[in-house]
């Protein structure tokens, strides 16, 4: 049995860890509240811009020859080259949050390569960068400080290269993969085909439109500008949603760690009390034995 000093040191060490994990849980909880509010606002904007884009694209398609509205809206079921843009955290201590995204990306790579499709990777987040770099995968693009501090301008700059390659026909599809926020206790892997854009089915009437524009006059300009805005904002939203999920996962992980630390302290306390009782018993036996020897 370990001596009393060793057990006491272990108890002190675990209690310090417990204080740290509890503090980290509180920090993640506060950050989650702020990020969740931002995520909800961004989701509303993303939903509306998607509706507007669908409306305009459908109207433009109606007035153009053969419904041709550009490569960004033409679905491709047999892509030759695919860009996978994925988001992970810059830090750990958040349970299986990062590994869920990494496993999903790895499965997508395997599935596409099985079909003979070339896959290129673009990573936002140090954990994903480190993992695939260690696996020997080539990363077309990497950034390690964007997922922890999402910024619209930087998100736009990050996705710009993938969009340009798609426009120049170097790739046929751009997919975004990230672990999104579902609720306080659950994160959900989300796989979105950013390009080509899959339009929602919209019904078009002669006198009803979400925007008061004339596609015959400036259709290409309006559609291009809105498409760029749609892509940039959806990348930005993916980063925000991922960050909210990261804080949620870390909060749960730290709560579990705090609970485990408490249980460990209780276990060590019982062990300490047993060791102390054994030491007292041994001392009493030695005293009694000494007294008996003097008789």
């Amino acid at each position: 049995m370990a001596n009393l000093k060793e057990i006491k040191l272990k108890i002190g060490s675990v209690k310090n860890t417990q204080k740290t994990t509890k503090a980290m849980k509180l920090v993640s909880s506060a950050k989650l509240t702020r990020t969740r509010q931002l995520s909800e606002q961004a989701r509303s904007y993303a939903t509306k811009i998607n509706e507007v884009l669908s409306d305009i694209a459908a109207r433009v398609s109606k007035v153009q020859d053969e419904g041709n509205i550009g490569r960004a809206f033409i679905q491709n079921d047999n892509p030759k080259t695919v860009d996978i843009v994925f988001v992970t955290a810059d830090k750990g201590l958040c349970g299986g949050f990062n590994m869920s995204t990494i496993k999903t990306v790895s499965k997508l790579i395997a599935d596409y390569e099985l079909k003979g499709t070339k896959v290129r990777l673009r990573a936002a987040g140090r954990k994903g960068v480190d993992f695939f770099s260690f696996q020997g995968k080539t990363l077309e693009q990497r950034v390690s400080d964007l997922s922890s501090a999402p910024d619209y301008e930087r998100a736009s700059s990050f996705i710009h290269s993938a969009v340009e390659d798609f426009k120049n026909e170097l790739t046929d599809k751009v997919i975004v993969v990230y672990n999104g926020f579902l609720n306080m206790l659950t994160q959900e892997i989300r796989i979105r085909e950013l390009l080509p854009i899959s339009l929602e089915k919209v019904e078009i009437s002669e006198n009803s439109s979400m925007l008061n524009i004339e596609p015959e006059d400036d259709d290409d300009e309006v559609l291009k500008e809105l498409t760029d805005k749609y892509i940039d904002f959806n990348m930005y939203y993916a980063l925000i949603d991922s960050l909210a999920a990261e804080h949620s996962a870390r909060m749960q992980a730290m709560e579990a760690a705090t609970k485990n630390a408490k249980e460990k302290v209780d276990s060590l306390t019982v062990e300490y009390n047993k060791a102390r009782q054994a030491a007292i018993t041994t001392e009493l036996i030695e005293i009694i034995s000494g007294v008996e020897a003097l008789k």
Side-chain angles (χ1 to χ4, degrees):
M1 184 177 292
N3 61 49
L4 293 175
K5 186 176 181 180
E6 290 178 350
I7 298 175
K8 199 168 184 178
L9 287 173
K10 287 181 180 179
I11 292 175
S13 177
V14 175
K15 281 185 176 180
N16 288 335
T17 301
Q18 184 181 10
K19 290 178 182 177
T20 302
T21 55
K22 186 176 181 179
M24 292 179 68
K25 175 195 170 184
L26 294 175
V27 170
S28 293
S29 178
K31 288 183 176 180
L32 173 60
T33 300
R34 295 194 299 269
T35 309
R36 186 182 177 187
Q37 292 173 350
L38 184 59
S39 176
E40 289 173 351
Q41 295 171 0
R43 185 184 300 115
S44 299
Y45 184 86
T47 300
K48 183 58 64 177
I49 197 173
N50 186 36
E51 292 174 359
V52 174
L53 182 64
S54 297
D55 186 22
I56 294 177
R59 288 178 175 274
V60 171
S61 177
K62 186 177 180 181
V63 300
Q64 288 185 345
D65 295 337
E66 300 179 355
N68 180 20
I69 54 175
R71 190 167 187 264
F73 297 92
I74 301 174
Q75 298 303 306
N76 188 339
D77 295 328
N78 297 298
K80 295 181 179 179
T81 305
V82 173
D83 262 353
I84 297 180
V85 183
F86 62 95
V87 181
T88 59
D90 287 327
K91 301 177 182 178
L93 299 178
C94 46
F97 173 80
N98 292 309
M99 192 49 64
S100 295
T101 304
I102 289 171
K103 285 181 178 179
T104 301
V105 173
S106 297
K107 186 177 185 304
L108 282 173
I109 293 172
D111 290 345
Y112 274 117
E113 289 182 345
L114 190 63
K115 298 176 183 177
T117 302
K118 179 182 177 182
V119 177
R120 308 193 314 176
L121 299 177
R122 299 177 185 272
R126 186 169 61 83
K127 290 299 179 179
V129 170
D130 290 348
F131 179 87
F132 285 103
S133 295
F134 182 78
Q135 295 292 320
K137 297 289 186 181
T138 300
L139 297 175
E140 294 290 326
Q141 194 175 2
R142 62 179 74 190
V143 60
S144 298
D145 59 350
L146 179 59
S147 59
S148 57
D151 176 80
Y152 182 82
E153 295 299 327
R154 294 189 63 204
S156 175
S157 177
F158 174 70
I159 198 63
H160 179 76
S161 296
V163 174
E164 286 301 307
D165 283 353
F166 179 85
K167 290 179 178 178
N168 295 327
E169 301 187 14
L170 297 177
T171 60
D172 303 304
K173 186 172 290 191
V174 178
I175 299 175
V176 177
V177 181
Y178 64 96
N179 206 347
F181 178 84
L182 190 61
N183 55 53
M184 295 292 286
L185 300 177
T186 311
Q187 300 81 46
E188 181 181 64
I189 290 293
R190 288 170 184 165
I191 305 172
R192 299 195 59 185
E193 290 189 6
L194 199 59
L195 285 170
I197 298 171
S198 178
L199 295 176
E200 297 176 354
K201 292 182 179 180
V202 292
E203 295 182 0
I204 303 211
S205 62
E206 295 299 326
N207 300 317
S208 173
S209 177
M210 298 183 68
L211 293 179
N212 186 21
I213 66 168
E214 293 294 334
E216 295 88 347
D217 298 331
D218 54 3
D219 50 0
D220 290 336
E221 182 180 349
V222 172
L223 190 59
K224 180 182 181 302
E225 183 174 346
L226 192 59
T227 299
D228 291 341
K229 182 76 69 177
Y230 166 86
I231 293 169
D232 292 346
F233 193 83
N234 273 275
M235 184 68 244
Y236 174 60
Y237 173 70
L239 291 165
I240 294 176
D241 198 25
S242 177
L243 183 60
E246 178 191 340
H247 289 319
S248 172
R250 184 170 290 110
M251 185 180 71
Q252 293 177 67
M254 292 302 99
E255 182 178 6
T258 302
K259 181 180 178 181
N260 290 338
K262 183 180 182 304
E263 292 176 355
K264 185 63 177 177
V265 168
D266 292 342
S267 175
L268 287 171
T269 300
V270 171
E271 185 180 346
Y272 176 81
N273 290 335
K274 287 182 178 179
R276 188 178 61 157
Q277 187 63 48
I280 293 172
T281 302
T282 300
E283 289 178 2
L284 286 174
I285 291 174
E286 289 176 353
I287 292 171
I288 293 171
S289 298
V291 172
E292 290 296 325
L294 294 174
K295 290 182 179 179

